Amino acid sequence: MASSSPFLCGVVEGFYGRPWTADQRRVLFRRLREWGMNTYMYAPKDDHKHRAGWREQYSALESGDLEELMKSAQSNGINFVYALSPGLDISFSDEGEIALLKRKMEQVCQMGCKSFALLFDDIEEQLSPSDKESFESFAAAQVHVTNMMYDHLDRPEVFLFCPTEYCASRADPSVVKSRYLLTLGEKLHPAIDILWTGPRVVSKAISTESIAQVASSLKRCPVIWDNIHANDYDQRRLFLGPYDSRSTDLYPMLNGILTNPNCEFEPNFIAIHTLASWYRCAKSKHQKSRSHVTAKGKIESMEAEPEPEREPPAEEVMQSESKEDSTELKSNNGSEAADIAVDDSTQVGRLDSGTESGMEVEPTNGTEMSDVETEEEYDLQNSLKKAVKAWLSEFARPVSSVGVQPRVVSTVAAAQMQQDVGDAARTPVDGDPVDARGKDENSPKRHRQQDAMKMRVTMTEDDVSLLVDLFYLPHQHGPRAVELMKEFHWLKKHANMSRGQGNQGQESEPREDENNVVCDEKMASAGETSSDTEASEMEDDSGIGVTQSRHWMARAKAFHVSCKQISRMFAQLTDIPNRALLYDLYPYIWDVKEVIMLLDAYIAWLEAGCKRKGKQISFLPEDMEPWIFRGGIAAEMQRLLPSCDGPEGLFSSDAAPLEPSSRVFTVRPYRPEDEALAYKTCLLTGDAGADGTHLYPNYPNLLGDRYVGPYIQLSRDFAFMMEDEEGVCGYVLGALDSRSFYTQYSKEWLPKLLSKYPRTTKPKEDFTAEDVGKLIWRVCAVCDWCYLDFDLRDTQ
């Protein structure tokens, strides 16, 4: 279904939380103009007179402010859409309620507004008793009022409607069968656009197939209300990543895309900038598939008129600060440290002292419509790179923080903000047990000192890219954030490797060895890591060797470098002239930086463990400071849930029983007479924990021969049986060393299985569980990796 309506592209201020200021919205209008976008929808959920107090008229002062805002949007060629959300408590059949709704919209119309929206999202889908007598359904009541308002306002060029079922997951029972959506499609005036968030409230991806479905039900192309960058549902998250997972092939199937971004204004630069790139590419690719010769066409062709000069408020004017070009970097012991080199081609310093300050100053950043990409395909990485480069100049633009209140994510962050802003990031002393923030009298001797970042330095493109990776998108982390977590997981999992050199009394500092295991800053920045397979290849029969230890220490060093980069970026961020941007970002980056310091300290603690002789010190002190584990009551409650680490996630059967039990289990060594019971237990739990007898009618011992027999025959010292008052109910089987066990298994056990179980001749589509089991033996006969998971297997 191709649309002939003009494509609305811009921003909806539709989040829950503190609304943006008038100055921030004016900056937004200019950015939208420069980036070739055309629409802004005013719909802040926490504006009292937009939602809860929708019946109330605006005061003279409020009306004046809104009118000035509309003029500012119009002077920048931006269509200002005023949205009202009466759905919380409106009585659809009450003539008095309808009169109040008309009166409110008339007031806004008199301010100069020409585009409107009615929103019925996030409300209970039920009618009052009086409304049930007048309307056959909830959808019919909404359609009646919306069509009435559309006619009352003389059918404006843009009129948007947000349904209660505004995404596929809320459509009952489905998008194509929902009576609510079908009623909208049949009865809502065809010129009224309908807002849609995609498959879910926060959609990871929006496909052309899903849009085709909803367009069929609504009998029109929807306008996407995109929550991909919205963060009002989680006060600990911020989304700085690019506009992603929306094909430009959606363009001819939609009437528009409005992004509903982060509650904080300044961090939305990349979200909006990359949406603008998407829009330009999509329009270039599909410009012939949409007809713009309509009554609404002037929305996209409105010529921007220069906005009247406005004197910035006195409190926004910043005093110029004179600072030295460079500052000496001192370490904790007072010695002079090396300067931090910054690439001149990417660094940004303070603007000239004569530059005008305040929110009204808006540089073009080289992103005018004539300067941007014109290719038809949306290149995500290229668009992100351009957005990062453009955003970098915003960090150096002097903007006052007066009147800008940060969204506090952490109580500790709030307390520390005044202390840390403008000062260096604090870095932990590697090797210490945590308290990551300060000294611990019980900590081991510090084996390394990190330099305190006290130098006033500037943000670079790489710093901004790192910041974006740490706060990417709701459903994915940025590449460097993912790499950091992977490396920490690997170092923790293979911590025993760090003891190899220490056990042999050799120096355990990482260095290049005969296998060319090298670790430096390039390794960390490039994300180069060795696989677990490489680590396994360095094992030998003698246990943990020197090569393994060096490999682990090299990767630990790379991890420390990555953590240093984040601390360095934080230090530079606290010194940027754009204090409004800093205060929006600060609570989030402070929180993440502190947790990363904790991870860094943990790896250093593992690393230092191979140097201490005999004395083991706990990483976490008994009297921990409250910032060690973050999140307050919400995090404590979340920890009550079962672990999500296993394959079953929250639905793991390992959760504590709901009913108390007095059963007593005893684990004892395996005895030869236990063989039949062990085989039986294996079969009775062979169907994902349930009885698997029906799966193996011809070969009931097949599972036992695979999972039990090798251990009780070849590794009997590590075989144990579990009993309760009724007898044997489980077993624990393991092997001391997987590689040597498999070698013996291949020579002594596997040949017997190959002769015992005949080759399967059935076609693959007819395989049973028995056939698959017999096939596995054949594969194992020629494959060295099938049984490398033989360490401490346990079965219920």
Side-chain angles (χ1 to χ4, degrees), residues 42 44-59 62 82-90 97 100-101 103-105 107-108:
Y42 178 89
K45 292 291 194 295
D46 287 348
D47 176 349
H48 176 72
K49 294 184 179 179
H50 158 76
R51 187 171 173 87
W54 65 268
R55 299 175 181 83
E56 301 176 25
Q57 296 276 289
Y58 287 106
S59 67
E62 292 167 336
Y82 176 84
L84 197 64
S85 185
L88 286 175
D89 56 1
I90 187 173
E97 295 274 84
L100 289 174
L101 183 59
R103 185 181 172 208
K104 181 68 167 281
M105 286 299 205
Q107 185 190 28
V108 176

Side-chain angles (χ1 to χ4, degrees), residues 198-225:
R200 306 184 67 84
V201 179
V202 181
S203 297
K204 180 178 181 180
I206 300 178
S207 67
T208 53
E209 293 79 11
S210 69
I211 294 302
Q213 275 193 343
V214 69
S216 176
S217 295
L218 298 178
K219 300 188 185 309
R220 71 202 75 201
C221 297
V223 173
I224 296 297
W225 172 311

Side-chain angles (χ1 to χ4, degrees), residues 179 181-189 217-220:
R179 287 308 311 164
L181 296 178
L182 293 173
T183 299
L184 296 183
E186 294 167 1
K187 297 185 177 181
L188 192 67
H189 194 286
S217 295
L218 298 178
K219 300 188 185 309
R220 71 202 75 201

